[in-house]
Amino acid sequence: MTSADQVPFDDRGLAYGDGVFETVLLRDGVPLLWPYHRARLLRGCRVLGLEPPDDAALAATWQAPASGLEVLKIILTRGSGGRGYALPESPAPRLLSRRTPFAPAASRWQGVDVCLCTLRLARQPALAGIKHLNRLENVLARQEWQRADIAEGLLADSDGNLVEATAMNVFWLADGVFRTPPLDACGVAGTLRAALLEQGVVGEAPLSVETLLDSELIEQLFVGNSVQGVWPVNTLTTPDGEPLRRFSPTSASPLQAAAHRLLGYVPLSGPSLSGEKR
Amino acid sequence: MTSADQVPFDDRGLAYGDGVFETVLLRDGVPLLWPYHRARLLRGCRVLGLEPPDDAALAATWQAPASGLEVLKIILTRGSGGRGYALPESPAPRLLSRRTPFAPAASRWQGVDVCLCTLRLARQPALAGIKHLNRLENVLARQEWQRADIAEGLLADSDGNLVEATAMNVFWLADGVFRTPPLDACGVAGTLRAALLEQGVVGEAPLSVETLLDSELIEQLFVGNSVQGVWPVNTLTTPDGEPLRRFSPTSASPLQAAAHRLLGYVPLSGPSLSGEKR
């Protein structure tokens, strides 16, 4: 295991996206949801057949003292070497990290508009759920909209199932229960999503795009991740901003409250905060 | 456009596989099949919305004099920046290259065994054909076999269609005609394959794994690329080396002769060369 802040030409993370990453919220130097980030990183190593870093090496990425909010990004690549796609005989994975001061887009906690991307995610069960470095689908999807009033883009798979947003997981309320799609064919299993599942706040259920667009049973929609928290969705649009569907107002949702407790964000107390930037 | 021999932490090629690459055979400093490599690189740029390098920058990667065979690897990334998956406002793509002395595995021109990988390629038309940096499927597939007597691994897609080998395209002879699978849902459209298609030596046709394994109509099988040339397949095996099917002996195939003329490799003249290492 070597640490670096750049990689050489023959690094397999650069050459093939052969590695995984994590994006972790730090508050006063302490990582939030760390057990979930660690578990996903190790799961990624298992899936890719990559030697996992030890806990001391991981902790060294965040143990310098700090105050306030930061985002820690960790990249783990398989390191250099190998003949083409074949693995190196003695792999020396490369661990890179960077900390950046951070402020969440708190106004979005009141509600956002999101679009439905036209790109469909390919179904690849062998890579589903892990946060690997092959993210061209996300990059392509993010190019579908330029409007600043669209906060995220929803992604469905090639079978028409809702999967995630480009950098967030997706949740909805139906029949009084919060749901999120299973991620056994594609998508990144977010750490906030994992914690909310473990707490029983949400459960997994499939949802087709057709049902999302048409069914009155889907009362509320949310996108969220472990850095930004949870954004309720007001309007689902096309990438050009044409409305497809509106959802019920959702400030002070129990889903958002549970998520923001996990992240240490002050819970919103209701509509009186509407429009306030915090 | 900047040139470099390493990339920083925030390079999008490293972070997301946001870029493309080429692997070019150089003979005495002259690139073989260069118009096809250039065309694929530019097509990759169009697909990804990436500013293409100009011809002078590309030519600078190979114009230093040399003798003998080399492999030139070119990597083009979108460069640094952007907020998450969103593109940087002023992208500065990064062009990297490396030349390495090379000798083809000439004994494999006489025939090889290849295995059928169990991993199925995901179908993603938005990325099909281009040589992008998201190659984890190839890395996973290459881990399926360790035996030195297996030269390559064939890959089918999730619908059961034969697509390619991990680092080569695939060809077969049926009814006196050479065929190769269409690559509109996944796979890398190799430059040797493109040249053979343009010359009319091969044509596109779908082939299911089922037919490949069972049909006597499939007389001969080949794998090939623009660096190694064409390898006839003797036996198709499982990743553990269990035979699945044998093919007819194929030394001095017109397919191989046409391919090796394109690459400047001396054509084989028949069975008398069998076993010779060259």
Side-chain angles (χ1 to χ4, degrees), chain A residues 22-41:
Chain A
E22 290 292 330
T23 308
V24 184
L25 183 64
L26 301 184
R27 182 182 299 279
D28 301 332
V30 178
L32 281 294
L33 298 174
W34 178 250
Y36 297 93
H37 287 289
R38 178 181 176 276
R40 182 173 60 187
L41 187 82

Side-chain angles (χ1 to χ4, degrees), chain A residues 103-257:
Chain A
S107 63
R108 292 181 167 177
W109 295 341
Q110 306 291 334
V112 296
D113 291 348
V114 308
C115 70
L116 179 61
C117 293
T118 58
L119 180 122
R120 294 298 175 99
L121 294 172
R123 294 170 60 84
Q124 178 48 274
L127 293 168
I130 67 171
K131 200 170 172 84
H132 56 67
L133 296 172
N134 279 198
R135 301 261 73 101
L136 270 177
E137 290 183 319
N138 308 65
V139 172
L140 286 186
R142 184 59 189 84
Q143 292 183 47
E144 289 194 33
W145 81 92
Q146 277 76 44
R147 298 171 60 112
D149 58 348
I150 295 180
E152 247 289 16
L154 300 189
L155 288 162
D157 69 13
S158 53
D159 286 357
N161 303 303
L162 183 66
V163 178
E164 62 184 0
T166 67
M168 292 179 144
N169 286 117
V170 60
F171 310 90
W172 64 91
L173 178 70
D175 262 337
V177 183
F178 292 108
R179 300 292 194 190
T180 190
L183 299 176
D184 43 11
C186 43
V188 176
T191 53
L192 177 62
R193 173 184 179 278
L196 292 169
L197 281 167
E198 193 168 278
Q199 291 192 351
V201 177
V202 302
E204 288 188 349
L207 178 64
S208 69
V209 168
E210 201 172 28
T211 304
L212 172 67
L213 291 176
D214 293 339
S215 172
E216 291 304 311
L217 292 177
I218 312 300
E219 301 161 41
Q220 299 176 350
L221 186 69
F222 306 84
V223 292
N225 68 25
S226 65
V227 170
Q228 291 286 1
V230 167
W231 301 341
V233 175
N234 296 324
T235 305
L236 179 62
T237 72
T238 68
D240 293 331
E242 296 297 313
L244 292 168
R245 182 175 169 182
R246 291 177 208 286
F247 294 92
S248 309
T250 54
S251 44
S253 160
L255 175 73
Q256 186 182 63

Side-chain angles (χ1 to χ4, degrees), chain B residues 1-4 26 29 31 34 53-65 72-74 95-99:
Chain B
M1 188 72 52
T2 61
S3 292
L26 300 184
W34 178 251
D54 60 34
D55 283 327
L58 285 175
T61 65
W62 52 265
Q63 276 180 341
L72 164 70
K73 181 167 178 176
I74 301 171
L95 185 68
L96 302 91
S97 65
R98 179 170 289 184
R99 293 164 70 156

Side-chain angles (χ1 to χ4, degrees), chain B:
Chain B
M1 188 72 52
T2 61
S3 292
D5 143 34
Q6 53 193 10
V7 302
F9 183 86
D10 64 359
D11 183 86
R12 296 173 62 97
L14 171 64
Y16 308 131
D18 192 2
V20 292
F21 70 111
E22 290 292 329
T23 308
V24 184
L25 182 65
L26 300 184
R27 182 182 300 278
D28 301 332
V30 177
L32 281 293
L33 298 174
W34 178 251
Y36 297 94
H37 287 290
R38 177 180 177 278
R40 183 174 59 187
L41 187 82
L42 296 186
R43 185 176 160 236
C45 290
R46 278 196 304 277
V47 167
L48 301 186
L50 191 58
E51 186 197 347
D54 60 34
D55 283 327
L58 285 175
T61 65
W62 52 265
Q63 276 180 341
S67 63
L69 291 179
E70 298 167 283
V71 164
L72 164 70
K73 181 167 178 176
I74 301 171
I75 298 177
L76 177 69
T77 80
R78 204 185 301 267
S80 295
R83 292 188 60 182
Y85 298 123
L87 301 194
E89 287 190 18
S90 305
R94 206 167 260 129
L95 185 68
L96 302 91
S97 65
R98 179 170 289 184
R99 293 164 70 156
T100 312
F102 177 73
S107 64
R108 292 182 167 177
W109 295 341
Q110 306 291 333
V112 296
D113 291 349
V114 307
C115 71
L116 180 62
C117 293
T118 57
L119 179 122
R120 294 299 176 98
L121 295 172
R123 294 170 59 84
Q124 178 47 276
L127 293 169
I130 67 171
K131 201 170 172 83
H132 56 67
L133 295 172
N134 278 198
R135 301 261 70 103
L136 270 177
E137 290 182 320
N138 308 66
V139 171
L140 285 186
R142 184 58 190 83
Q143 291 183 49
E144 288 194 33
W145 80 93
Q146 278 76 43
R147 300 172 60 112
D149 57 348
I150 295 180
E152 248 290 15
L154 300 189
L155 288 163
D157 68 14
S158 53
D159 285 357
N161 304 303
L162 183 65
V163 178
E164 62 184 358
T166 66
M168 292 180 143
N169 287 116
V170 60
F171 309 91
W172 65 91
L173 178 70
D175 262 338
V177 182
F178 293 108
R179 300 293 194 190
T180 190
L183 300 175
D184 43 12
C186 44
V188 176
T191 52
L192 177 62
R193 174 183 178 278
L196 292 170
L197 281 167
E198 193 167 279
Q199 291 192 350
V201 177
V202 303
E204 288 188 349
L207 179 64
S208 70
V209 168
E210 201 171 29
T211 304
L212 172 67
L213 291 175
D214 294 340
S215 171
E216 290 307 311
L217 292 177
I218 313 299
E219 301 162 41
Q220 300 176 350
L221 187 69
F222 306 84
V223 291
N225 67 26
S226 65
V227 169
Q228 291 286 0
V230 167
W231 302 340
V233 176
N234 295 325
T235 305
L236 179 62
T237 74
T238 67
D240 293 331
E242 296 297 314
L244 293 168
R245 178 172 174 186
R246 290 177 210 286
F247 294 93
S248 310
T250 54
S251 44
S253 161
L255 176 73
Q256 188 182 61
H260 287 198
R261 269 194 302 275
L262 287 163
L263 300 174
Y265 290 143
V266 179
L268 300 175
S269 60
S272 67
L273 285 175
S274 182
E276 182 185 340
K277 302 269 195 290
R278 38 183 305 153

